[in-house]
Amino acid sequence: MDGKAEHEFRCSSCARAAPHFRLARSAVRYRGAVQKGIALFKYQRQTCMVRDFVDLLAACANIHYAQTRFDAIVCVPLHPRKERERHYNQSQLLA
């Protein structure tokens, strides 16, 4: 099934050198309809999709981190040139 993350995955960068973070999780696999939806959200100003992506992220957090207490959810800063091109920071909308 496109988008379903069925097993642990370690990216090639993390396999070569230890990352500078303790924990990461993908809500879905970046392929198929999910890949197309993310591209529309990021590059085609389809911000109407933000609620769907927030729901996916919240479900992932509830399943995998039910016992974890989060202090904050923050966005990843977007390069100013990219934000000018897109007119918004998609990670800020998700956060």
Side-chain angles (χ1 to χ4, degrees), residues 1-8 25-30 64:
M1 170 194 260
D2 281 340
K4 185 175 181 185
E6 298 174 348
H7 57 82
E8 281 192 34
R25 169 72 63 176
S26 294
V28 293
R29 292 182 70 186
Y30 186 67
H64 297 286

Side-chain angles (χ1 to χ4, degrees), residues 27-28 41 48-63 93-95:
V28 293
F41 176 61
C48 60
M49 302 173 79
V50 72
R51 173 58 29 206
D52 296 316
F53 290 125
V54 166
D55 289 346
L56 279 172
L57 294 171
C60 178
N62 289 334
I63 290 169
L93 293 176
L94 294 171

